[in-house]
Amino acid sequence: MTILTIIAFHEYVKKGGRMKWRKLMMFLLGGIILSAGCVIIVNQTPKVEEVQLLGTAYTDADFATNGQFYIAVVAISEDGEVIELSKSNITVVVDSSEPIQSYSVSVKDVTQHEITEKNVAVGLLLDSSGSMDWNDPDETRKTAAKEFIRRLYSNSSNHLAGIFDFAARYGDANNDGIDDYYFRVICDYRQVSDTVTLFSAVDSVTASGGTPLYLATKYLLQHTYNNVSTTYHRALLVLTDGYDNESSPVTSDTVVNLSQSYSIPVFGIGLGDDVDEEFPDAIRRTGGVYANASDAEALEDIFTAMGLGLAQGYTEITLTINPIPQSGTIIYGHLNITSGGNTVTCLWILEVQ
């Protein structure tokens, strides 16, 4: 057996037998070619087929002086695997701006956020406040949440997911000492292969009441920390459409501090234009990614990208813009991601606050 064939087998075992068949065969073919004494080089660079924004572009805390901003992306190969990117894979273009002005953007750094644990456990915390009734009248959030679970399942049946919501109903159905209005365990963590139970839980999400956003997130962080083993990569994905109005004395800082102490990042999705103004920054401070959905129709793509990023990792790109735009400026651009001889374009928008 050649050294390359041994490496292929080692990679297969290291990934828990989850290496895609085509990729494994490519390694093995390389081993066979070398063992035959040939000098043919097999190109193993994955071909990019799709690129999705994982979150919303956002500015650095010192943007006014350094012009830095960040974009998180998921680049997907023809095998459905997430590709690790470097600066050589990425070119960035500014298409237009409001108000009109000429800008140049360059890639300063690329950071790959890898999932080191074999399996992940993600708690889906869904806003069930009354405003969801008109912000998501067709209940697209339910379709999107199911697609998120499918994405985890397609990567590994051993991943865990749990369905939770807040502002749903009064009482304490599961006897955890927490009023279900503030935090409801609809379906506790279980393998994503149990789609029947998980999907049924998603379908039971309602729309009534206020928005105890940070209190519910605090409860789910504690629940996850106490009930899910550290052998999993633990994370939360929180969807909300409004301002927190029923969490006092719990604040966004409470959530950030608890998340950091537990090493459980919180990823967030804000629906519409009336999302709590502290929510995006709080999400990033936990080590998660924030995405804004302009309307309910955008939820499915965002949930899909989040599923890929949480299961397989994602790339954070640090960019620098010159000259530095003034507050209120909107920049429109696109990224060209090249890998395996193919190039895919991904649009981005930066709103300077």
Side-chain angles (χ1 to χ4, degrees):
M1 183 181 289
T2 69
I3 292 176
L4 191 55
T5 306
I6 294 171
I7 292 173
F9 182 74
H10 171 73
E11 288 295 311
Y12 183 76
V13 172
K14 186 172 70 174
K15 293 178 180 290
R18 295 184 290 115
M19 179 183 284
K20 296 290 184 181
W21 178 86
R22 188 180 300 177
K23 185 180 291 186
L24 177 62
M25 290 304 297
M26 186 174 289
F27 272 112
L28 294 174
L29 178 60
I32 293 170
I33 291 173
L34 289 180
S35 65
C38 299
V39 292
I40 299 173
I41 298 175
V42 179
N43 180 15
Q44 297 175 9
T45 304
K47 180 181 177 181
V48 62
E49 287 291 322
E50 182 183 0
V51 176
Q52 295 187 18
L53 284 182
L54 185 65
T56 304
Y58 68 98
T59 57
D60 187 80
D62 296 322
F63 178 79
T65 56
N66 62 22
Q68 286 186 191
F69 67 101
Y70 307 91
I71 297 176
V73 300
V74 177
I76 309 163
S77 74
E78 57 187 348
D79 291 333
E81 301 255 343
V82 170
I83 302 171
E84 295 186 13
L85 301 177
S86 64
K87 292 174 70 173
S88 62
N89 296 109
I90 305 165
T91 57
V92 57
V93 178
V94 174
D95 297 317
S96 62
S97 68
E98 299 176 8
I100 297 174
Q101 185 171 333
S102 179
Y103 295 98
S104 63
V105 176
S106 59
V107 179
K108 180 178 181 181
D109 196 15
V110 174
T111 302
Q112 190 68 31
H113 293 263
E114 299 180 356
I115 306 301
T116 56
E117 295 83 353
K118 182 178 177 180
N119 294 307
V120 302
V122 183
L124 285 171
L125 179 60
L126 304 177
D127 188 335
S128 289
S129 60
S131 55
M132 277 293 187
D133 206 21
W134 57 83
N135 282 330
D136 184 20
D138 297 324
E139 299 187 325
T140 306
R141 65 190 183 281
K142 296 182 180 181
T143 303
K146 292 175 184 178
E147 185 57 34
F148 175 88
I149 293 167
R150 290 190 188 98
R151 281 289 180 171
L152 293 185
Y153 188 15
S154 68
N155 180 253
S156 172
S157 62
N158 293 320
H159 293 322
L160 303 182
I163 309 300
F164 312 86
D165 72 351
F166 56 94
R169 63 187 66 175
Y170 290 97
D172 184 10
N174 64 334
N175 296 313
D176 63 357
I178 301 171
D179 193 318
D180 291 347
Y181 178 83
Y182 299 103
F183 173 68
R184 181 168 64 138
V185 180
I186 306 177
C187 175
D188 215 340
Y189 287 99
R190 63 184 58 230
Q191 288 185 315
V192 291
S193 56
D194 188 1
T195 54
V196 173
T197 303
L198 288 167
F199 287 1
S200 177
V202 170
D203 285 334
S204 72
V205 170
T206 58
S208 176
T211 310
L213 170 62
Y214 299 124
L215 182 59
T217 306
K218 172 197 169 186
Y219 282 140
L220 183 51
L221 280 167
Q222 293 172 328
H223 180 83
T224 303
Y225 179 77
N226 291 325
N227 293 280
V228 180
S229 167
T230 54
T231 57
Y232 290 88
H233 175 75
R234 302 174 296 180
L236 308 188
L237 177 57
V238 181
L239 167 68
T240 187
D241 72 338
Y243 276 80
D244 185 299
N245 56 17
E246 297 194 39
S247 291
S248 181
V250 173
T251 66
S252 61
D253 286 338
T254 307
V255 168
V256 171
N257 293 335
L258 199 61
S259 167
Q260 292 174 347
S261 67
Y262 288 166
S263 296
I264 300 176
V266 181
F267 290 67
I269 302 173
L271 173 58
D273 299 326
D274 294 322
V275 177
D276 194 280
E277 60 186 9
E278 296 180 2
F279 187 57
D281 182 61
I283 291 298
R284 293 165 188 142
R285 288 164 60 200
T286 72
V289 173
Y290 173 78
N292 180 259
S294 57
D295 54 40
E297 291 182 0
L299 288 175
E300 191 164 348
D301 285 343
I302 293 174
F303 269 87
T304 297
M306 290 288 190
L308 286 164
L310 281 166
Q312 300 184 51
Y314 61 94
T315 302
E316 184 177 61
I317 306 169
T318 304
L319 304 117
T320 303
I321 187 168
N322 186 51
I324 299 174
Q326 298 296 313
S327 177
T329 303
I330 303 176
I331 312 293
Y332 302 89
H334 66 272
L335 299 172
N336 292 321
I337 307 296
T338 302
S339 181
N342 195 34
T343 299
V344 177
T345 296
C346 177
L347 302 177
W348 54 268
I349 300 174
L350 176 66
E351 298 186 22
V352 182
Q353 303 298 320

